[in-house]
Amino acid sequence: MTARGVPGRATLSPEIRGVRDGFEQRWTAEGWYRGETLARLLADAAADRRGGVPITFHSRTRKIEVLTVAEMYARGQRVAAGLAGLGLRHGNVIAIQLPNWAELAVCYAAAAVLGLVIVPVVPAYGTAEIRAIIRAGHVQTLVLASSWRGTAAAAVIAEVGGTAPLEHVIVVGEDPPTGSVPWRQLESANAGTIVDATAAIEGDEVCAVLFTSGTTAAPKGVQHSHHSLIAELRGSPTPPQDRPAAVSLQPFPPGHTAGLSALLGPLAHGVATHMMDHWNAEHALSIVMENGITALAGTPYFLGGILDAAEAGSGDVGSVRDVITGGAGVPSALVERADRHGWTVCRCYGLTEQPSLSAASRTDLLLTRSRSDGRPIAGNHVRIVDASARPAPIGSDGDIEAIGPEQCVGYVDPEDNARSFTDDGWLRTGDIGHIDSDGFLTVTDRRKDIIIRGGENISAREIEDLLAGHPAVAEVAVTALPDPTYGERVGAFVVLRNGHRLDLGEVQRHFAAAGLARQKTPEQLVIAESLPRTAAGKVKKYELRAGLDHALE
């Protein structure tokens, strides 16, 4: 295996690297970067009061499991020894497609101890996405569940097993397929063996690569260093770090930056945390009630689901005090509704590249918390620029650009860096918004053609590319359509080839055969005679959405 699996900051141009060096020197002087690594953070947390902090893993198909930070570290050391026995070394890349189970936390710990690069994979992803991530992320080892929600590891291995540069597949659960490495053996066979690469790991190395959206068309791997990820863990507004007795529910799925931060967060903040392996609103409500949850985080879909379940069954959510929400358009009505239940909901804004950029405070007025995304979090800076890259007037919409210590160190693909970073090192977020005279940021739109369904980012381009391959399709445009439950859903507008027919059932079969996650399948299909285009030939998607809204009235 190679000594290093991902290119890191080397993907940035020399000019941007020089600018970033200046920022990183400032962040070091300000105390954001302390030369710390995940391995050191984990070891220190296990040895002090944080060592006894419990992380509870809830499931409707498994027994509840409680893992303290100290136990996570001890088990992680044993698994690290097993991984070393397979030949994994500091800098190698491990992709982990597991639900929120204790084994996921242990695998993160093992990767930290060995200095591996973690690539979290959304459990719902199909084989097409997994193959793309293996290739784009330089993945050498893949960790899977033996079975998860109807998908067997054997079937996944049959599809992705020969994908270069993959060398090992580790399977968690019963009856691991022939040729795979059983997790149980990996952990139990190494009791008493300690492998620790802490001394060799440096804070500016890449420790995680997260993929922002669809991966079959153009995988976009975001690289975080130990420095940037730990800055996120320390600066995140959730759970509230000034509430020492807080008990937090973090329903984010693995595979996203929010899920990674939720699971590693107790290493930094030491707050008792509850995780779910699959979202279910009634189950979440029972966790809130049975465990006295005081802090919640999640997209509007999650929060609205808990409130719906509570109101439908007279559930008591009175223990909850502090709530952070973002990741999709947040209706002000949801914040106001939650306020009536005694929740103090604060909107926040971030992205995979810079996870916690701004957030409202619980001391802000309800009107502010429901209609803005707060002020930039300490260490982060935001600016709004117009079409000419000049500063936009206060209160005027423009493109949001950002910089801060938790910002990624670049993308795996140098071309993504060229598109996304300005000459002076700031990140072009691709979002549109404004800052008012009091310094509050409000995100009003997205430049990126991304559909956010229940907090899951879905690339419209990926859906278009797949649908365009259907023999009946001549032209296609995919866009986000409003959905009262998920926030947005996938809508497809199709111009058919002469003599062909197409319905939604056939589209669903086409996507299932391609191996894509079910939530990426279009949920509304409109057959159109033509697609409205600009003079440059670009489809005017806003006209498609407006036309559909009018048709549904």
Side-chain angles (χ1 to χ4, degrees), residues 7-30:
R9 296 173 72 254
T11 60
L12 294 168
S13 70
E15 294 77 16
I16 298 298
R17 278 207 304 275
V19 174
R20 297 282 300 189
D21 284 343
F23 281 120
E24 291 175 13
Q25 289 170 13
R26 181 201 304 177
W27 297 328
T28 299
E30 292 175 351

Side-chain angles (χ1 to χ4, degrees), residues 87-315:
L88 275 73
R89 297 292 182 267
H90 173 206
N92 290 156
V93 185
I94 184 168
I96 308 168
Q97 190 184 34
L98 292 176
N100 278 325
W101 294 345
E103 290 90 345
L104 177 64
V106 172
C107 201
Y108 284 168
V113 166
L114 267 186
L116 305 181
V117 178
I118 298 168
V119 179
V121 181
V122 177
Y125 275 4
T127 53
E129 290 106 335
I130 297 171
R131 275 196 303 269
I133 288 172
I134 290 170
R135 295 186 183 113
H138 308 277
V139 173
Q140 295 141 329
T141 301
L142 174 65
V143 184
L144 298 171
S146 60
S147 179
W148 176 244
R149 299 187 63 77
T151 300
V156 176
I157 294 170
E159 291 287 333
V160 307
T163 306
L166 188 65
E167 297 181 15
H168 302 291
V169 179
I170 298 166
V171 175
V172 175
E174 302 298 326
D175 302 320
T178 302
S180 65
V181 179
W183 171 272
R184 189 171 298 170
Q185 172 185 314
L186 194 71
E187 183 171 358
S188 63
N190 294 283
T193 303
I194 301 297
V195 175
D196 195 338
T198 303
I201 308 168
E202 298 181 1
D204 61 357
E205 292 179 16
V206 172
C207 70
V209 177
L210 299 109
F211 286 82
T212 58
S213 59
T215 57
T216 16
K220 195 173 182 182
V222 175
Q223 303 180 108
H224 275 281
S225 67
H226 294 270
H227 281 158
S228 66
L229 183 55
I230 292 173
E232 155 63 12
L233 299 181
R234 294 193 187 283
S236 173
T238 178
Q241 299 184 27
D242 59 347
R243 304 267 208 190
V247 182
S248 178
L249 172 59
Q250 302 278 331
F252 297 105
H256 302 285
T257 182
L260 180 66
S261 297
L263 194 45
L264 295 179
L267 308 184
H269 54 62
V271 172
T273 299
H274 293 257
M275 310 289 293
M276 301 175 66
D277 71 352
H278 178 65
W279 171 251
N280 177 275
E282 289 74 19
H283 189 202
L285 174 62
S286 70
I287 294 170
V288 170
M289 296 173 61
E290 293 167 10
N291 296 278
I293 299 296
T294 66
L296 276 173
T299 67
Y301 171 63
F302 294 146
L303 305 187
I306 294 174
L307 291 176
D308 288 344
E311 292 169 358
S314 300

Side-chain angles (χ1 to χ4, degrees), residues 237-238 252 296-299 303 322-326 344-348 359-360:
T238 178
F252 297 105
L296 276 173
T299 67
L303 305 187
D322 302 297
V323 181
I324 289 287
T325 189
T344 301
V345 178
C346 296
R347 283 172 46 170
C348 69

